[in-house]
Amino acid sequence: MTTASTMRAHWKLVLLPLGFAVIMYGDLLFRDGQQGLGKFLFIGGWVVAFSGMPAMNRYLKANHLREGILKIFVILFIVGSFAVPGPIVSLVKVFDGTAQPVNYRQAALSLALIYIALTILSRIAEPKDHVLERLASRIQRAAVFRALANVTGIFAVVAFLGARFVATHPVPLISTGLSLVVAAAVVTHKTFARARKLCTQIHTDTQTLLRDLDELDQARSSTTMSTVKPWIWRLRGERQAGGGHTAEQKAALRAWDAVKLGLSTPVDTGYRRIGLPFLTNEVVAELEAKVRAAVHGGSASPARADLQAIQRACSGRVDVLA
């Protein structure tokens, strides 16, 4: 289905973001003292949003991968609907020159809440099904959410410093805030560079493993077609179908060890407690079973299919200079 036909089939989906935008705007007006108009827009926004729910249901049923992604954004929207208006109001007041310490405190609390949500809830809400099919978007989400979390965390510090020092030390506060903004840009760059570097390493290690599996298959084929008599194989203690290829098997297993390390590494941060691993432990264990089965004489097709899916997910982020 082309993009144009998809838009024609699901154009009512626009009612959802439109409704949520009206909801947030109504909340902003309510907080800014315009309670009447704020309530009207808040309620009207929910009516518009609910009008788009049937279209959302049809959109989800058209692709089995969409439901899991929706869960992520629903959770993040719920948090954002409570946390985002505060910093926006504070930012408007800063540009108007009417910001007070209380506005900075509210912004600091809201930004800290966003940081916690992006750090914890985004990992909890990450879909656990069809992981290999979702892998490219999983990598992208991990990097984007980590970058957003880092930025909101740094700006929470800026807002906290504003609440504490804007009245007494405004000039040093400005220079400190600018330094933290630069730090946010640097941290964001490092986050995406880490994702590219990890994808490059996994792509390289996966290619090595695929080649080792090919060499193992070629060695087995050569053995099968050879004219060596069966009694010689028994004398050497080897089996024609699965044995006699110790060097190739060891090479494939060593290559798998390197791949496994990469697959278990968090995409977005080196802190494993809060980072999102490249693949879940369950998927890594299933892939290891397939690889070991291929090494020890079973079919290599299942392992190859999964390894090639990993390569495809990484191919768009390969950067040998990262």
Side-chain angles (χ1 to χ4, degrees):
M1 182 179 290
T2 63
T3 302
S5 59
T6 301
M7 292 179 63
R8 286 194 298 269
H10 305 289
W11 68 269
K12 289 187 178 180
L13 285 172
V14 73
L15 296 175
L16 285 169
L18 177 62
F20 291 143
V22 173
I23 291 169
M24 296 183 70
Y25 184 61
D27 186 42
L28 285 173
L29 292 179
F30 186 85
R31 296 188 188 197
D32 205 32
Q34 303 181 48
Q35 283 84 2
L37 181 59
K39 287 181 180 178
F40 174 77
L41 291 177
F42 187 84
I43 296 172
W46 279 112
V47 172
V48 173
F50 276 118
S51 299
M53 291 303 294
M56 174 61 72
N57 189 44
R58 292 192 298 270
Y59 180 75
L60 294 178
K61 289 183 177 179
N63 189 320
H64 63 283
L65 299 179
R66 290 172 178 166
E67 186 173 354
I69 304 302
L70 177 66
K71 181 176 66 173
I72 296 176
F73 289 101
V74 166
I75 293 175
L76 294 178
F77 171 78
I78 293 173
V79 176
S81 63
F82 290 101
V84 171
I88 293 177
V89 171
S90 300
L91 185 62
V92 171
K93 290 183 178 294
V94 167
F95 283 113
D96 288 344
T98 59
Q100 300 297 321
V102 64
N103 300 123
Y104 288 100
R105 285 196 293 271
Q106 291 173 351
L109 290 173
S110 297
L111 289 169
L113 177 61
I114 296 173
Y115 172 79
I116 294 172
L118 289 172
T119 301
I120 299 175
L121 292 182
S122 60
R123 178 175 179 176
I124 294 175
E126 182 67 29
K128 306 301 188 294
D129 60 333
H130 308 289
V131 177
L132 289 179
E133 291 184 71
R134 303 180 189 272
L135 185 53
S137 59
R138 176 186 176 90
I139 299 168
Q140 184 70 18
R141 284 192 300 274
V144 169
F145 288 158
R146 175 57 50 196
L148 290 175
N150 291 335
V151 169
T152 53
I154 290 173
F155 275 95
V157 174
V158 173
F160 172 78
L161 294 175
R164 179 66 178 83
F165 298 110
V166 68
T168 56
H169 302 86
V171 176
L173 177 62
I174 293 174
S175 60
T176 302
L178 290 176
S179 299
L180 290 173
V181 170
V182 173
V186 172
V187 170
T188 300
H189 170 73
K190 285 183 173 294
T191 298
F192 285 98
R194 176 187 176 86
R196 295 196 306 273
K197 185 174 182 179
L198 180 60
C199 285
T200 302
Q201 187 64 51
I202 290 176
H203 191 281
T204 302
D205 293 339
T206 302
Q207 185 63 50
T208 301
L209 176 55
L210 286 169
R211 286 173 178 167
D212 287 341
L213 290 176
D214 289 340
E215 290 179 2
L216 180 58
D217 284 347
Q218 290 172 5
R220 285 177 177 151
S221 298
S222 299
T223 301
T224 302
M225 298 300 293
S226 68
T227 59
V228 179
K229 296 181 180 180
W231 66 270
I232 296 180
W233 288 96
R234 290 195 295 270
L235 180 63
R236 295 173 55 187
E238 300 168 348
R239 288 178 301 174
Q240 187 172 349
H245 313 292
T246 304
E248 290 85 354
Q249 289 176 325
K250 287 182 177 180
L253 291 175
R254 282 194 296 268
W256 163 248
D257 289 339
V259 172
K260 184 178 180 180
L261 286 176
L263 299 182
S264 302
T265 300
V267 177
D268 51 340
T269 178
Y271 300 100
R272 292 182 176 272
R273 294 288 183 180
I274 60 176
L276 183 71
F278 191 88
L279 286 178
T280 62
N281 293 334
E282 295 78 11
V283 175
V284 174
E286 291 176 4
L287 180 55
E288 182 171 15
K290 294 176 182 178
V291 171
R292 290 189 178 276
V295 169
H296 295 296
S299 173
S301 297
R304 280 199 183 92
D306 289 352
L307 292 171
Q308 289 167 354
I310 292 171
Q311 278 194 310
R312 287 193 297 271
C314 292
S315 61
R317 296 174 179 82
V318 170
D319 183 358
V320 295
L321 301 180

